[in-house]
Amino acid sequence: MSDPILNAIARQKSSACLFALRIHLRRDGKWSDDLHNPAFDAKTVKLEAGWK
């Protein structure tokens, strides 16, 4: 079964939503740096590539 947070990261369509998701989940203690940061970083790169 896939991690619902990884699925949520993949669904984000803007950097603002992506960062808001991370802030909210960190506040709730649901964010794992080891598990979620690589997906977060990859999604950030993908979104930023669309700005060019």
Side-chain angles (χ1 to χ4, degrees), residues 4-52:
I5 295 173
L6 294 175
N7 291 335
I9 290 169
R11 285 193 308 267
Q12 300 311 303
K13 299 196 184 298
S14 74
S15 293
C17 292
L18 186 60
F19 279 89
L21 176 69
R22 181 172 69 173
I23 290 167
H24 173 74
L25 292 170
R26 277 188 171 165
R27 218 179 275 154
D28 288 349
K30 296 178 181 178
W31 187 268
S32 165
D33 286 338
D34 294 336
L35 178 62
H36 301 123
N37 276 348
F40 178 87
D41 292 343
K43 183 64 176 193
T44 300
V45 168
K46 183 177 178 181
L47 290 170
E48 290 176 354
W51 299 346
K52 297 177 183 178

